[in-house]
Amino acid sequence: MRKLVALPVLSADALSSVAYGPEAMLTVLVLAGSAGLGWSLPISGAIVFLMLAVGTSYRQTIRAYPQGGGSYIVATANLGRVPGLVAAAGLITDYVLTVAVSISSGLAAVTSAIPSLHSAVVPIGVAIIVILLIANVRGVRQAGALFAAPTYAFILAIALLVIVGLVDATGRGFHALPRPALHATQAVTLLLVLRAFASGSTAMTGVEAISNAVTVFKPPEWRNARTTLSWMIGLLVTMFVGIIVLVELGGIVPEHSQTVLSQLAHQDFGSGPLYVYVQAATALVLLLAADTAYNDFPRVMFLLARDRFAPRPFLKMGDRLAFNNGILALSIVAGLVFFAFNGNTSSLIPLYAVGVFLAFTLSQAGMVVHWWRLRSGGWRRSILFNGIGCVLTAIVFVIAAITKFTAGAWVSLLIVVVFTAVALLTRRHFDRVAAATGLSPEASASEENEETPSQFSNLAIVPVPYLNRVTVRALAYAVSLGQPVLALHVSPTEEEAKRFREYWADWGNHVPLEVVKSPYRAVIPPTVAYIEALHAQRPELTLTVIVPELALRHWWQRLLYEDFATRLRRSLAELPMVLVTSVPLHV
Amino acid sequence: MRKLVALPVLSADALSSVAYGPEAMLTVLVLAGSAGLGWSLPISGAIVFLMLAVGTSYRQTIRAYPQGGGSYIVATANLGRVPGLVAAAGLITDYVLTVAVSISSGLAAVTSAIPSLHSAVVPIGVAIIVILLIANVRGVRQAGALFAAPTYAFILAIALLVIVGLVDATGRGFHALPRPALHATQAVTLLLVLRAFASGSTAMTGVEAISNAVTVFKPPEWRNARTTLSWMIGLLVTMFVGIIVLVELGGIVPEHSQTVLSQLAHQDFGSGPLYVYVQAATALVLLLAADTAYNDFPRVMFLLARDRFAPRPFLKMGDRLAFNNGILALSIVAGLVFFAFNGNTSSLIPLYAVGVFLAFTLSQAGMVVHWWRLRSGGWRRSILFNGIGCVLTAIVFVIAAITKFTAGAWVSLLIVVVFTAVALLTRRHFDRVAAATGLSPEASASEENEETPSQFSNLAIVPVPYLNRVTVRALAYAVSLGQPVLALHVSPTEEEAKRFREYWADWGNHVPLEVVKSPYRAVIPPTVAYIEALHAQRPELTLTVIVPELALRHWWQRLLYEDFATRLRRSLAELPMVLVTSVPLHV
């Protein structure tokens, strides 16, 4: 990918974060009224410093992991299994919340312009998640131009907003407009400031995307990726600072019914077409950001499944080469989270920062270890940059976890713990199975840990409810295998049993017949009981139950029959020496 | 069963109908105000005549069908397949509505006493259906005393109500109390009177129960059953007339918030313990009536399935010898109907009469034909009684279908038509399959419509993703069958394929190995494609795919794996010469 195509695709997630990050910070500060909002500039300065530090840190990662260095890979390689899984768990919560927050924030941009849609936010959001699910399963590729457009449109929108806003401010000599009267419900405390900082730092979610995807760039990949990362950080800082400055100059106060960006756009452009353009571009770039999680989440699940930390179905690609199970899992979890939090951005924000900064921290800690182990040219500088990034993001993680704990961070922390535990248990299961089923190194068919054909003494059992072409076919197949065959008939009464034996004799008595009594006409239980008894009596025999079956073309035809083979298979699953196969007759 | 035990068990459905039948009639008449309610006595007279005629008619049925003469059996035997199925469809709607109406009416008895429960009627009703489902699947037998109590309690309640009411009325010289002022919204028209008649005739739903269950009586069964039927009709007429007379004397007008029975009980007993007793006995007998449908519906479905008009699963008995699938089907349909009509008795009544009287009519028409064919002693008298019953119930059916068509009868008629059509299509499917799979009368293994063992030329194919104890076991089993075996490995790259061939050689090359390329790591599609290609090339071969499988103890372990055998079986279901079996290894 060329840099100018990769930039919008890979930075949609990061750049769109300025739509909710500044607002999340202001929403906390306004609780302390004007005095609280006065802290907006210093906190923003800290966030900008954080952006630059993390950007510099990820430049190191790109150089070290030109094949793509996601947090899970870097943390696992340098810190070990558990930190790697914790990083993966952080990423998982990050991606789920990227979907939920991006959609809720995108819908806030829409309802700011069309307030009547406010009550329909939850169903619309769920519908969008369903559409993303279908689109991604169908394999919508990130086709360059189409996916580049929203990001560039959004950059242009913020640029216009900031320029027009600054020109207006110049006209009045940079005097800030007066804020509406505010009623402070809290004092300015350290806790409040830290909470505002943690909320505002969600403005940098998504900056890791480029370092995950170095391979999509044109060669030299790592150099192009680094350049693009620098551009992205530059844009992110510029847009973030621009918005914060406009908020200060415009005397903007966060409102419930309208986003901060919408207020700024109204101030600059009234309610005309440019206002509509800003809102539409914001909604579209956030939709694109949500879509990027549909690429990232299934890939992490794939990596975990490949390393046997997650169920195998996450390895599977669908017909369109998409990881359908990962896409489905993300949709369900993100849909539930969106629904549970009523599609409300400010309720979701406390959950968001924890996962993101946990993954950041572990990734950069991994990089510090990486450079220390390598100690090649310039390692001291690299350790310095990654070390600063690691310490700063660790501080943000701790601040977010503590100051937002009761507001929702506990949910993310719980998910991280449970996810890590489940991953470890999954791995333990697979390891145990591998140990139990592995062959010894110099395996040969004669060794004791393998079964040989001569150990199998076969008997085929064919359940025969009637004598017709279906059952005769199964009998013929059973006989053709050249092993002993026994036909099994279940009969409710002695007379019916006698009658069936006569049919059997008329037919030619080709196969030995056993008749089992079942006064209540049940078929499965007496069949199972007979096979279990036979197994108990002759445990050395391998019993192959060959079930005659009618092959049905339509699903509704299958409703007309009992699925004898499946039910028998389930009932006999516990017996190691019993196999069930079905012989279909197509009519 | 003794008569005094059989009476309450088999007549709960019929007798409990007086809890909603009179009220349904009055609810229609009150639309025409006092002038409308004036028609109450003549219409009730017609209904009493109908009860006696139908009772007499069913006495004939009991004599003719001592093994039990349900509408489906009688109509099929005497009128043929389609009338029998239409009668069965009528019964099915009858039973579904017995559940829905009995529960809604029973809850109306409860909410009359406890109005605050009114808003919770739908969830409570659904919960009761779930409880009935569980109780019947668990096999609650109609244990004599327990099931007799509610019916006798209800008979006693109505007797007390009527006697106390009549004594009160005697005290004031049989002057009717004044009715509240009524606002007539309709004129008294023929249509209104007929609609009231059709609604009121739901007071006799359930009278066929005894003729269905003649075999449960002590010998001489038919004579005891007839006697019990006469008692039941006597009680039904007495209770119905008693309630109608009390309504007249008490100046009762149907209300939305309180049932007619509740108003009568308040008039007689105030709000004391006797009032509570009347409401509780009413609710309990209606619950018992709903429960009787849980015996009748699965039995009709069993008979239909036995005659190949319904899916086979309805033949199946559960562990407790209950027809679980019929019980489940009734619960789902009755639950949906109850939910769709908001648990409102008066909305459900229009659907009810149609099915009931359709089954009545066809059953009695069948009896007329029965006697005509037989022409044994007293046949003229029997034809007369059944003929009168048939004509009268046919008239009620037509009246109900026409006057209630738009109010809901169309739903029942549509269900009858669709049910009959589906039953006929089901039978056609089973007949076609029987024709296609039947053996010719003098069948022998050499005839052309049978397959012989020599026609099977077997090849076993074992998919081998890895070389471990699981796959080795499947290979050993395949070899032990003594037929040619081919191992099939899917590999993403040429190198991996080469590596696997080396393992295979190290292991000893016991079985020929085929390696298939699959660059995207998909396994099922290339396996299916290989087998399809092999089948196309060698159509005479029977291919047995032997899938190595890990036997897992817990359901959550199964979530960790792809169900390879099931997916392969589904993908290969179209090929007649391909069988799939799985060889489990228990670890």
Side-chain angles (χ1 to χ4, degrees):
Chain A
M1 258 203 264
R2 288 169 46 220
K3 289 198 286 287
L4 284 176
V5 175
L7 175 72
V9 171
L10 294 174
S11 63
D13 187 4
L15 297 184
S16 68
S17 305
V18 300
Y20 46 80
E23 174 147 15
M25 176 184 74
L26 296 168
T27 306
V28 176
L29 289 178
V30 79
L31 296 173
S34 293
L37 290 177
W39 278 85
S40 154
L41 287 183
I43 295 174
S44 298
I47 291 173
V48 167
F49 180 66
L50 192 65
M51 287 173 177
L52 294 171
V54 171
T56 313
S57 184
Y58 270 109
R59 282 173 58 92
Q60 311 302 315
T61 306
I62 288 172
R63 202 183 72 190
Y65 283 88
Q67 319 79 25
S71 301
Y72 168 65
I73 291 173
V74 174
T76 304
N78 298 297
L79 303 175
R81 174 183 289 195
V82 173
L85 288 176
V86 173
L91 285 178
I92 292 299
T93 59
D94 177 0
Y95 296 141
V96 168
L97 284 155
T98 297
V99 174
V101 169
S102 297
I103 292 176
S104 72
S105 179
L107 286 175
V110 173
T111 56
S112 296
I114 314 168
S116 62
L117 287 179
H118 202 84
S119 59
V121 158
V122 171
I124 294 176
V126 171
I128 289 173
I129 290 174
V130 172
I131 291 168
L132 286 173
L133 162 67
I134 295 169
N136 280 282
V137 165
R138 290 289 195 90
V140 174
R141 292 291 103 207
Q142 297 199 333
L146 188 65
F147 282 79
T151 310
Y152 282 129
F154 181 65
I155 294 171
L156 179 65
I158 300 295
L160 283 175
L161 202 64
V162 172
I163 291 165
V164 171
L166 290 179
V167 168
D168 283 357
T170 317
R172 60 174 192 268
F174 280 98
H175 280 297
L177 296 176
R179 285 206 189 93
L182 291 172
H183 172 66
T185 58
Q186 298 190 10
V188 178
T189 59
L190 179 63
L191 183 69
L192 184 90
V193 171
L194 291 177
R195 274 173 55 209
F197 171 67
S199 289
S201 63
T202 57
M204 58 182 295
T205 54
V207 298
E208 78 287 4
I210 290 175
S211 73
N212 289 350
V214 181
T215 49
V216 307
F217 285 87
K218 284 196 176 168
E221 290 87 353
W222 71 273
R223 191 168 289 281
N224 285 326
R226 270 176 89 146
T227 310
T228 309
L229 175 63
S230 299
W231 292 354
M232 181 181 85
I233 295 289
L235 280 167
L236 179 62
V237 168
T238 309
M239 289 161 78
F240 179 76
V241 170
I243 288 168
I244 292 293
V245 168
L246 280 200
V247 166
E248 283 295 311
L249 288 174
I252 300 289
V253 170
E255 281 176 16
H256 188 68
S257 60
Q258 204 186 161
T259 63
V260 165
L261 277 190
S262 166
Q263 292 183 59
L264 291 176
H266 271 314
Q267 231 172 36
D268 279 11
F269 308 125
S271 297
L274 275 175
Y275 169 78
V276 173
Y277 168 74
V278 171
Q279 296 308 106
T282 308
L284 279 177
V285 78
L286 284 161
L287 184 64
L288 180 57
D291 186 64
T292 59
Y294 275 85
N295 278 295
D296 298 334
F297 179 98
R299 202 179 46 225
V300 172
M301 291 310 295
F302 167 81
L303 294 173
L304 289 168
R306 193 197 59 189
D307 297 345
R308 283 176 282 142
F309 290 117
R312 290 239 179 104
F314 288 112
L315 288 176
K316 204 188 101 191
M317 280 190 177
D319 298 339
R320 313 284 184 106
L321 303 180
F323 293 113
N324 293 346
N325 291 315
I327 291 168
L328 185 65
L330 175 62
S331 302
I332 291 172
V333 179
L336 287 176
V337 168
F338 186 85
F339 184 80
F341 287 81
N342 261 314
N344 184 340
T345 310
S346 58
S347 312
L348 288 163
I349 287 287
L351 283 77
Y352 201 4
V354 172
V356 175
F357 281 89
L358 181 58
F360 278 166
T361 304
L362 287 165
S363 159
Q364 287 162 117
M367 288 310 300
V368 170
V369 173
H370 172 86
W371 298 122
W372 176 253
R373 283 190 185 152
L374 217 62
R375 271 169 280 185
S376 59
W379 65 275
R380 283 191 184 82
R381 202 168 137 267
S382 296
I383 278 197
L384 181 70
F385 286 147
N386 282 133
I388 291 171
C390 174
V391 170
L392 289 177
T393 52
I395 290 170
V396 179
F397 166 70
V398 171
I399 289 173
I402 293 173
T403 64
K404 306 267 181 185
F405 189 82
T406 53
W410 68 271
V411 176
S412 297
L413 291 170
L414 186 68
I415 291 174
V416 167
V417 170
V418 170
F419 187 93
T420 307
V422 169
L424 286 170
L425 287 172
T426 301
R427 174 64 183 251
R428 194 179 69 170
H429 167 83
F430 282 124
D431 284 349
R432 284 186 179 172
V433 166
T437 62
L439 302 177
S440 62
E442 297 91 19
S444 83
S446 59
E447 291 204 17
E448 64 180 16
N449 66 351
E450 284 180 40
E451 285 167 285
T452 60
S454 59
Q455 283 170 299
F456 286 90
S457 175
N458 289 301
L459 171 65
I461 298 174
V462 184
V464 185
Y466 324 97
L467 203 48
N468 62 14
R469 281 183 60 211
V470 187
T471 50
V472 167
R473 176 162 211 255
L475 287 163
Y477 169 75
V479 171
S480 79
L481 295 176
Q483 307 286 332
V485 178
L486 183 68
L488 188 64
H489 178 72
V490 176
S491 194
T493 61
E494 191 53 61
E495 300 97 81
E496 288 201 30
K498 194 158 159 271
R499 210 179 314 145
F500 191 81
R501 281 212 188 80
E502 285 166 15
Y503 288 146
W504 195 255
D506 288 347
W507 176 63
N509 254 334
H510 298 289
V511 170
L513 173 70
E514 188 79 39
V515 179
V516 175
K517 276 320 138 24
S518 171
Y520 297 109
R521 294 188 176 270
V523 176
I524 299 273
T527 305
V528 170
Y530 181 84
I531 291 167
E532 284 175 343
L534 190 61
H535 173 68
Q537 218 177 354
R538 303 278 309 273
E540 81 286 2
L541 279 184
T542 299
L543 304 173
T544 304
V545 185
I546 296 177
V547 182
E549 209 171 50
L550 197 62
L552 298 164
R553 204 161 299 149
H554 307 290
W555 64 267
W556 55 264
Q557 292 175 327
R558 276 189 278 274
L559 294 181
L560 299 177
Y561 297 85
E562 294 199 69
D563 191 349
F564 193 75
T566 302
R567 291 180 57 216
L568 206 58
R569 194 171 282 121
R570 206 176 299 145
S571 301
L572 294 168
E574 294 294 309
L575 300 181
M577 302 295 277
V578 178
L579 318 179
V580 179
T581 188
S582 54
V583 180
L585 178 72
H586 292 247
V587 292
Chain B
M1 256 203 265
R2 287 170 48 218
K3 291 198 286 286
L4 284 177
V5 175
L7 175 71
V9 171
L10 294 174
S11 63
D13 187 4
L15 297 184
S16 67
S17 305
V18 301
Y20 47 82
E23 175 148 12
M25 176 183 74
L26 296 169
T27 306
V28 175
L29 290 178
V30 79
L31 296 173
S34 293
L37 290 177
W39 278 85
S40 155
L41 288 182
I43 294 174
S44 299
I47 291 171
V48 167
F49 180 68
L50 192 66
M51 286 172 177
L52 295 171
V54 171
T56 313
S57 185
Y58 269 108
R59 281 172 59 92
Q60 310 301 317
T61 306
I62 288 172
R63 203 183 71 188
Y65 283 86
Q67 318 81 25
S71 301
Y72 168 64
I73 290 172
V74 174
T76 303
N78 298 297
L79 302 176
R81 174 182 288 195
V82 173
L85 288 176
V86 173
L91 286 178
I92 292 299
T93 59
D94 178 1
Y95 296 141
V96 168
L97 284 154
T98 297
V99 174
V101 169
S102 297
I103 292 176
S104 72
S105 179
L107 286 175
V110 174
T111 56
S112 295
I114 314 167
S116 62
L117 287 178
H118 202 84
S119 58
V121 158
V122 171
I124 294 175
V126 171
I128 290 173
I129 290 175
V130 171
I131 291 167
L132 286 173
L133 162 67
I134 294 168
N136 279 281
V137 166
R138 288 289 194 91
V140 173
R141 292 292 101 208
Q142 298 199 332
L146 187 66
F147 282 79
T151 310
Y152 282 128
F154 181 65
I155 294 171
L156 180 65
I158 300 295
L160 283 175
L161 203 63
V162 172
I163 291 165
V164 172
L166 289 179
V167 169
D168 283 357
T170 317
R172 60 176 193 267
F174 279 98
H175 281 297
L177 297 177
R179 285 205 189 95
L182 291 171
H183 173 66
T185 57
Q186 298 192 9
V188 178
T189 59
L190 180 62
L191 182 69
L192 184 89
V193 171
L194 291 177
R195 275 173 55 209
F197 171 68
S199 288
S201 62
T202 56
M204 57 182 296
T205 53
V207 297
E208 77 287 2
I210 291 176
S211 73
N212 289 350
V214 181
T215 49
V216 308
F217 285 88
K218 284 195 177 168
E221 290 87 353
W222 71 271
R223 191 168 289 281
N224 285 326
R226 270 176 89 147
T227 310
T228 310
L229 175 63
S230 300
W231 292 354
M232 183 181 85
I233 295 289
L235 281 167
L236 179 62
V237 168
T238 310
M239 289 161 78
F240 179 77
V241 170
I243 289 169
I244 291 293
V245 168
L246 281 199
V247 166
E248 282 296 309
L249 288 174
I252 300 289
V253 170
E255 281 177 16
H256 189 68
S257 59
Q258 204 186 160
T259 65
V260 165
L261 276 191
S262 167
Q263 292 183 57
L264 291 176
H266 271 314
Q267 231 171 36
D268 280 10
F269 308 126
S271 297
L274 274 175
Y275 169 77
V276 173
Y277 168 73
V278 172
Q279 296 308 107
T282 307
L284 279 176
V285 78
L286 284 162
L287 184 65
L288 180 56
D291 186 65
T292 59
Y294 276 84
N295 278 295
D296 298 333
F297 179 98
R299 203 180 46 225
V300 171
M301 292 309 296
F302 167 81
L303 293 174
L304 289 168
R306 192 198 58 189
D307 297 345
R308 283 174 282 145
F309 291 117
R312 290 240 180 103
F314 287 112
L315 288 175
K316 203 190 101 190
M317 281 190 176
D319 299 340
R320 312 284 185 108
L321 303 180
F323 293 114
N324 293 348
N325 291 314
I327 291 168
L328 185 65
L330 174 62
S331 303
I332 292 172
V333 178
L336 288 176
V337 168
F338 186 85
F339 185 81
F341 287 81
N342 259 316
N344 184 342
T345 311
S346 58
S347 313
L348 289 163
I349 288 286
L351 284 77
Y352 200 5
V354 172
V356 175
F357 281 89
L358 181 58
F360 279 166
T361 304
L362 287 166
S363 160
Q364 288 164 117
M367 287 309 299
V368 170
V369 173
H370 172 85
W371 298 121
W372 176 253
R373 284 188 187 154
L374 216 63
R375 271 170 278 185
S376 58
W379 65 275
R380 285 192 182 82
R381 202 168 138 266
S382 297
I383 279 197
L384 181 70
F385 286 148
N386 282 134
I388 291 171
C390 173
V391 170
L392 289 178
T393 51
I395 290 170
V396 180
F397 167 69
V398 171
I399 289 174
I402 293 173
T403 64
K404 305 267 181 184
F405 190 81
T406 52
W410 68 271
V411 176
S412 296
L413 291 170
L414 186 68
I415 290 173
V416 167
V417 171
V418 170
F419 188 94
T420 307
V422 169
L424 287 170
L425 287 172
T426 302
R427 174 64 182 252
R428 194 178 69 171
H429 167 83
F430 282 123
D431 285 348
R432 283 186 180 170
V433 166
T437 63
L439 301 177
S440 63
E442 296 91 21
S444 83
S446 60
E447 292 205 14
E448 63 180 18
N449 67 350
E450 284 181 41
E451 286 166 283
T452 60
S454 60
Q455 282 171 298
F456 285 90
S457 176
N458 289 302
L459 171 65
I461 298 174
V462 184
V464 185
Y466 324 96
L467 204 47
N468 61 13
R469 282 183 58 210
V470 187
T471 50
V472 167
R473 175 162 211 254
L475 287 165
Y477 169 76
V479 171
S480 81
L481 294 175
Q483 308 286 332
V485 179
L486 182 69
L488 188 63
H489 179 72
V490 177
S491 195
T493 60
E494 191 54 61
E495 301 96 81
E496 288 202 30
K498 193 158 160 273
R499 211 178 314 146
F500 191 81
R501 280 212 190 80
E502 286 165 14
Y503 288 145
W504 195 256
D506 288 348
W507 175 65
N509 254 333
H510 299 288
V511 170
L513 174 71
E514 187 78 39
V515 179
V516 175
K517 277 317 136 27
S518 170
Y520 297 108
R521 295 187 177 271
V523 176
I524 299 271
T527 305
V528 170
Y530 180 84
I531 292 167
E532 284 175 344
L534 190 60
H535 174 69
Q537 217 177 354
R538 304 277 310 272
E540 82 287 2
L541 278 184
T542 299
L543 305 173
T544 304
V545 185
I546 297 178
V547 181
E549 208 171 51
L550 197 63
L552 298 164
R553 205 162 297 148
H554 306 293
W555 64 267
W556 54 265
Q557 292 175 326
R558 277 189 277 275
L559 294 181
L560 299 178
Y561 296 86
E562 294 199 70
D563 190 349
F564 191 75
T566 301
R567 291 179 56 216
L568 205 57
R569 194 172 282 120
R570 206 176 299 145
S571 301
L572 293 168
E574 295 292 310
L575 299 181
M577 301 295 277
V578 178
L579 318 179
V580 179
T581 190
S582 54
V583 180
L585 177 73
H586 291 248
V587 293

